[in-house]
């Protein structure tokens, strides 16, 4: 059994609800692996309480927290400093409590690109089609552009696709109805919508027109293999699952709070997938 002392370093994940979060499992696995005197705990915080509870956690000695739905924009608003990804996304998923105030970063894009590389997929091997224009698409689109990728956004609500493309020039927009016919023009397809997740309808996406070698990434991780990924695999395309992104996006926070850069490996994947 791993015991913590009176000087243990503390971090956690804030959300409402937060009981479904896999982040405690990720961070506590790393803490145990590295023999660190620390703990990472779930912190269910109501939206109305978020602006007052976060500074209180900093005063109570926490090193920082992860931020999940619905607090990512509220977290952005309370930071004295944010990184470039957070600024472009308008959202923060990692807070670091420093003597100078609360600093925020958005590690979703970093996690996505790191997971692509882990699967042997080059982020800028060819044009990228992003399905969805929500918070995750913002962070991922910005990170892919930094890698030199040419991105196109398609979304059910065209105004949101246009707004995201305007925030990430020179991103292009494709009408949602044309996503299947145009698929042959792309080297990487990414689902960033919530479709395909447990309790959600499946993503309507026929892969008949895929170019050979198309990489198909889904950021949904429950189920581990979505219908989109199963279809890609059945056609001999390259599937990239979403749980790896969740593991990789956790690395920068852990490193800032606990002073060690942890490894994402098969053993961690199995523990978090279980
Ligand atoms: N693997 C990871 O580490 C990771 C990280 C972040 C998020 N995620 C997952 O990614 C998903 C999206 O997260 P988010 O924060 O970007 O959510 P969000 O901001 O709410 O965006 C949701 C997106 O899904 C689209 N959508 C929802 N229902 C749809 C439908 N019936 N038909 C077509 N499009 C639909 C929305 O389109 P409209 O604009 O038309 O509404 C929007 O583009 C979530 O399931 C989340 O759990 C995974």
């Amino acid at each position: 059994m791993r015991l913590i002392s009176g000087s243990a370093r503390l971090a956690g994940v804030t959300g409402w609800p937060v009981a479904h979060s896999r982040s405690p499992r990720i961070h506590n696995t790393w803490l145990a692996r590295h023999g660190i005197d620390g703990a990472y705990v779930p912190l269910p915080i109501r939206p109305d309480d978020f602006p007052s509870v976060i500074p209180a956690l900093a005063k109570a000695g926490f090193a920082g927290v992860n931020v999940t739905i619905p607090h990512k924009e509220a977290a952005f608003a309370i930071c004295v400093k944010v990184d470039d990804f957070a600024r472009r996304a308008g959202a923060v998923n990692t807070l670091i409590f420093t003597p100078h105030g609360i600093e925020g970063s958005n590690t979703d894009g970093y996690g996505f690109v790191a997971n692509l590389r882990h699967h042997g997929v080059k982020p800028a091997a060819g044009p990228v089609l992003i399905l969805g224009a929500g918070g995750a698409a913002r962070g991922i689109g910005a990170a892919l552009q930094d890698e030199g990728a040419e991105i196109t956004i398609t979304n059910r609500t065209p105004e949101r696709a246009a707004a995201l493309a305007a925030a990430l020039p020179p991103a292009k927009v494709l009408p949602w109805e044309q996503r299947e016919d145009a698929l042959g023009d792309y080297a990487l397809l990414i689902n960033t919508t919530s479709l395909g997740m447990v309790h959600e309808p499946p993503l309507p996406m026929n892969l008949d027109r895929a170019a050979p070698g198309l990489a198909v990434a889904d950021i949904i991780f429950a189920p581990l293999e979505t219908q989109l990924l199963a279809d890609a695999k059945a056609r001999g395309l390259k599937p990239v699952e979403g749980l790896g992104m969740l593991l990789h996006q956790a690395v920068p926070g852990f490193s800032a709070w606990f002073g060690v850069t942890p490894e994402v490996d098969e053993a961690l994947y199995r523990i978090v997938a279980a």
Side-chain angles (χ1 to χ4, degrees):
M1 187 165 62
R2 191 169 61 88
L3 296 174
I4 60 172
S5 78
S7 56
R9 285 187 74 73
L10 297 175
V13 54
T14 65
W16 185 260
V18 81
H20 63 281
S21 173
R22 300 193 191 203
S23 293
R25 207 172 251 229
I26 300 172
H27 289 270
N28 285 302
T29 298
W30 283 333
L31 287 168
R33 254 187 207 180
H34 292 281
I36 293 170
D37 184 17
Y40 182 102
V41 294
L43 297 161
I45 302 175
R46 287 177 191 278
D48 286 352
D49 294 332
F50 188 82
S52 59
V53 172
I54 294 299
L57 288 173
K59 284 187 187 162
F62 272 70
V65 291
N66 280 127
V67 181
T68 187
I69 293 168
H71 300 316
K72 289 184 179 183
E73 284 81 16
F76 180 85
I78 61 170
C79 289
V80 295
K81 191 173 158 194
V82 295
D83 71 5
D84 188 49
F85 288 122
R87 186 183 54 73
R88 285 192 278 172
V92 154
N93 72 348
T94 305
L95 292 173
I96 298 157
F97 303 153
T98 80
H100 320 290
I102 300 173
E103 298 185 0
S105 59
N106 190 315
T107 65
D108 279 341
Y110 163 85
F112 180 79
V113 169
N115 189 42
L116 270 190
R117 291 220 164 87
H118 179 85
H119 284 83
V121 175
K122 292 196 181 86
V128 180
L129 181 60
I130 299 179
L131 307 177
R138 278 184 178 259
I140 290 170
L144 286 170
Q145 285 185 326
D146 281 5
E147 296 292 332
E150 188 191 297
I151 65 170
T152 298
I153 297 150
T154 183
N155 192 52
R156 172 183 62 176
T157 307
E159 294 78 14
R160 287 186 88 194
L164 180 51
L168 297 176
K172 295 181 203 147
V173 173
L174 179 79
W176 181 246
E177 299 69 32
Q178 291 175 23
R179 67 193 183 284
E180 292 171 343
D181 287 343
L183 191 56
D185 297 339
Y186 298 94
L188 171 60
L189 171 72
I190 308 166
N191 175 38
T192 75
T193 75
S194 44
L195 295 176
M197 191 165 67
V198 281
H199 311 309
E200 290 277 339
L203 171 75
M205 185 70 211
N206 184 309
L207 301 177
D208 278 353
R209 294 200 169 76
L214 176 75
V216 180
D218 202 329
I219 70 165
I220 298 296
F221 54 81
L224 289 170
E225 185 178 76
T226 59
Q227 190 58 51
L228 176 69
L229 294 179
D231 290 349
K233 204 196 258 178
R235 286 166 186 274
L237 305 173
K238 173 82 187 160
V240 178
E241 45 67 46
L243 185 61
M245 170 181 168
L246 184 75
L247 305 182
H248 283 283
Q249 64 77 33
V251 170
F254 188 90
S255 164
W257 304 321
F258 300 110
V260 174
T261 300
E263 211 179 314
V264 173
D265 57 15
E266 198 50 42
L268 179 72
Y269 187 96
R270 280 199 300 273
I271 289 166
V272 179

